[in-house]
Amino acid sequence: MDKTKKFPDSPLSKDEWGQLDETIVEMARRQLVGRRFIDIYGPLGEGIQTITNDIYDESRFGNLSLRGESLELSKPSKRVSLTIPILYKDFMLYWRDRAQARTLGMPIDLSAAANAAAGCALMEDDLIFNGAEEFDLPGLMNVKGRLTHIKSDWMESGNAFGDVVEARNKLLKMGHSGPYALIVSPELYSLLHRVHKGTNVLEIDHIRNLVTEGVFQSPVIKGSSGVLVATGRHNLDLAIAEDFDSAFLGDEQMNSVLRVYECIVLRVKRPSAICTLESMEE
């Protein structure tokens, strides 16, 4: 899209818009955690404000017969409508900085845009993991119907691996055979990088043998908690109406105000594919 046509009053040239959007996308890719293991649905179009979500309370076997004359439908237990909110962060490009860059033949310093993109990416992960109460949107850490496991003290070698095994077993009993992704708080992530007792291997390496979709950390997960997820679009996906983009909002005292934004929502279809690792005191 030619942003100079969409925003004719913008002071940026076509090439400068290209550099801006490239900076935003590059920063978002570095920061985002949820998209590393969640399937994407979309983009649907920036005007889409709601989307339906079919919820399956449990996994069922398929049917077994000689001729297959009876129907065995995979049916959701309920269907809900989810609001797709706008996630955004604004920033300013100062006219003197633009003028200096053009005078000297230098690229414009887009650090402000990169910071705005990082803030927007952090908001996306917060929505994925913690939800948004004001929109009645659940996250992975608090969705109703999820499984829970009270973890032990990860300061003791081997306990982290044992807890992941137990959480995985709970998911398996519900019919979720994986693959799995593990996401924990920075506090717990640091404890995984110790030699597993009785071996010469880091505990996180043993866990990665079970959790083949990856072991990640996210600052939006607080305290000593984490979550094990059976991945796949049949369990959950990220519905995107509008992916990361930029917009020109106008000039204020000769300086240009711009916005980084996206429109997304998490759809949890099978809450039982999620097992949170929680502390007794939490």
Side-chain angles (χ1 to χ4, degrees):
M1 178 187 297
D2 188 346
K3 292 288 184 68
T4 59
K5 294 180 179 179
K6 185 175 181 180
F7 305 108
D9 296 331
S10 163
L12 299 180
S13 67
K14 183 177 180 179
D15 288 342
E16 289 168 343
W17 271 114
Q19 294 168 12
L20 175 64
D21 288 337
E22 184 179 341
T23 298
I24 290 170
V25 171
E26 181 182 351
M27 178 55 67
R29 285 175 177 165
R30 290 183 178 183
Q31 296 293 317
L32 293 169
V33 175
R35 294 200 195 194
R36 300 184 190 181
F37 63 91
I38 299 176
D39 286 16
I40 300 298
Y41 178 66
L44 310 172
E46 60 185 1
I48 304 300
Q49 301 179 48
T50 60
I51 190 171
T52 58
N53 184 35
D54 290 334
I55 299 175
Y56 299 79
D57 286 334
E58 59 184 61
S59 298
R60 294 181 178 273
F61 285 96
N63 201 16
L64 179 68
S65 70
L66 181 61
R67 298 182 180 87
E69 62 272 7
S70 62
L71 289 176
E72 183 67 22
L73 298 177
S74 175
K75 297 187 294 185
S77 55
K78 62 180 176 179
R79 169 174 284 189
V80 298
S81 181
L82 303 177
T83 299
I84 303 178
I86 303 174
L87 286 61
Y88 65 95
K89 188 75 171 179
D90 302 328
F91 63 98
M92 183 173 286
L93 292 181
Y94 297 97
W95 72 271
R96 293 197 71 190
D97 292 340
R98 297 197 312 270
Q100 175 178 270
R102 289 168 179 169
T103 299
L104 299 178
M106 300 164 47
I108 297 176
D109 185 354
L110 297 174
S111 300
N115 272 286
C120 198
L122 200 60
M123 186 70 249
E124 176 180 310
D125 278 338
D126 188 61
L127 181 66
I128 288 172
F129 289 100
N130 301 314
E133 187 176 354
E134 62 269 34
F135 289 103
D136 196 25
L137 297 175
L140 297 178
M141 302 299 296
N142 53 27
V143 63
K144 292 181 180 179
R146 74 188 188 280
L147 309 180
T148 60
H149 175 72
I150 303 301
K151 68 175 191 62
S152 54
D153 182 9
W154 285 17
M155 290 293 291
E156 184 175 337
S157 176
N159 281 355
F161 179 78
D163 284 335
V164 172
V165 169
E166 288 300 317
R168 177 176 172 271
N169 288 342
K170 289 183 178 182
L171 292 174
L172 280 169
K173 289 178 181 178
M174 295 299 294
H176 304 295
S177 55
Y180 308 99
L182 176 67
I183 313 90
V184 296
S185 66
E187 177 182 327
L188 290 186
Y189 192 77
S190 63
L191 296 177
L192 297 177
H193 291 78
R194 297 188 300 178
V195 175
H196 197 162
K197 187 177 181 180
T199 73
N200 293 320
V201 181
L202 294 178
E203 197 157 1
I204 192 171
D205 291 331
H206 278 162
I207 291 174
R208 285 192 176 116
N209 290 330
L210 296 177
V211 185
T212 56
E213 288 288 87
V215 180
F216 309 101
Q217 62 176 330
S218 175
V220 302
I221 300 179
K222 306 300 182 183
S224 299
S225 57
V227 59
L228 185 68
V229 181
T231 61
R233 63 179 66 253
H234 61 300
N235 291 331
L236 72 167
D237 64 23
L238 188 66
I240 298 178
E242 178 77 0
D243 212 343
F244 273 84
D245 204 353
S246 59
F248 173 64
L249 302 184
D251 288 327
E252 288 190 7
Q253 298 174 338
M254 301 174 66
N255 301 311
S256 299
V257 182
L258 297 101
R259 169 169 292 178
V260 177
Y261 71 99
E262 61 170 334
C263 307
I264 59 109
V265 70
L266 175 70
R267 298 195 300 176
V268 178
K269 304 167 188 178
R270 296 184 185 273
S272 62
I274 300 164
C275 183
T276 51
L277 303 172
E278 304 175 4
S279 298
M280 183 72 72
E281 59 272 14
E282 296 175 353

